[in-house]
Amino acid sequence: MNPVEITRGDSPVVLGLPHTGTHVPPDIMARLNARGQVLADTDWHIHRLYNGLLPGATTVRATFHRYVIDANRPPDGESLYPGQNTTGLVPLTDFDGHDIWNDAPDTDEVEARRAAFHAPYHAALQAELERVRAIHGVALLYDCHSIRSHIPFLFDGTLPDFNIGTAGGTTCAPSLQNATLEICAEAKGYTHILNGRFKGGWTTRHYGHPAEGFHAIQMELAQSTHLETEAPPFDYSDRKAARLRPVLGKILETLSDKVLELRP
């Protein structure tokens, strides 16, 4: 299976989808323990949730699961959140802190997976961002994520519905951050936070260089906003999604317009 799926469009917006993939090669799946094989830490149905919201948007989607290798972690394995519980380039535990491997990969295998999965995904993402910037003079990476709203190992309490990450305002122009924040604040029945527990992963931080015409925002959604339950089988909720999708669509449409205002 190709490690990355690309749908090219002519919008200035590129949707990154690093964690929706569920493909695990059979030899790797056999080494996961029963808990790991549930693949609980998937960004369930996020590609379906965003599908068609912004005509012309480019999408770059990793097809492999984050337990194979995490496409949103630095290739050198450095922690994104020093001093806090998190998972690494190839996670050794799930989000609840439990072991997921019967036979965890060694350093050589992690490097082989980086070359086979992580590198092709980011090569594709880089190429699409450069292609879009060549068309418009600017490009916006909107990195699409979701996570369960209650994970004591990673954070206290209940996660807000919309978690906007811009690495403290460094990865995009203020107008883009503020527009996203305003739409989320006005969305009735939803909660939001800017640069809270999730400030933007490696992808957002790596590609977000506003001075060079590359802007990046991460949106981490609480899975309670679009799943029937945050437990197996992690079914998609048409009812919840029908309420959420217009808000997400408004965010993408607004960002598409506003990023063009930043053209040199």
Side-chain angles (χ1 to χ4, degrees), residues 46-186:
I46 282 292
H47 53 301
R48 178 177 177 183
L49 184 67
Y50 279 94
N51 184 44
L53 289 182
L54 182 65
T58 293
T59 62
V60 180
R61 176 177 180 256
T63 60
F64 53 92
H65 194 264
R66 70 189 305 156
Y67 291 170
V68 176
I69 195 163
D70 193 328
N72 198 34
R73 294 293 183 270
D76 63 3
E78 182 180 357
S79 177
L80 292 171
Y81 296 98
Q84 295 178 285
N85 287 337
T86 187
T87 53
L89 182 59
V90 173
L92 299 180
T93 71
D94 62 15
F95 287 164
D96 296 307
H98 299 293
D99 292 339
I100 58 173
W101 297 97
N102 287 320
D103 181 14
D106 60 19
T107 301
D108 289 342
E109 184 173 351
V110 170
E111 173 55 25
R113 294 189 197 181
R114 187 202 64 77
F117 299 97
H118 190 284
Y121 174 77
H122 283 285
L125 189 56
Q126 180 76 50
E128 293 308 310
L129 287 167
E130 291 178 353
R131 180 184 66 83
V132 165
R133 189 185 64 167
I135 295 171
H136 298 284
V138 288
L140 171 66
L141 170 63
Y142 181 97
D143 214 37
C144 309
H145 294 263
S146 74
I147 194 168
R148 286 176 285 136
S149 59
H150 296 272
I151 307 179
F153 182 71
L154 296 183
F155 51 81
D156 295 330
T158 301
L159 195 71
D161 298 318
F162 297 106
N163 298 266
I164 308 162
T166 63
T170 63
T171 63
C172 70
S175 61
L176 303 178
Q177 173 181 280
N178 294 342
T180 305
L181 183 61
E182 181 178 344
I183 293 169
C184 292
E186 291 177 349

Side-chain angles (χ1 to χ4, degrees), residues 230-250:
E230 298 181 326
F234 302 104
D235 286 336
Y236 186 78
S237 171
D238 290 312
R239 175 182 56 84
K240 292 181 180 180
R243 181 167 170 258
L244 178 61
R245 276 170 54 85
V247 181
L248 298 175
K250 184 177 181 180

Side-chain angles (χ1 to χ4, degrees), residues 2-24:
N2 194 316
V4 58
E5 293 177 345
I6 303 166
T7 303
R8 291 186 177 90
D10 57 6
S11 163
V13 176
V14 176
L15 303 182
L17 297 159
H19 290 154
T20 69
T22 55
H23 175 66
V24 180

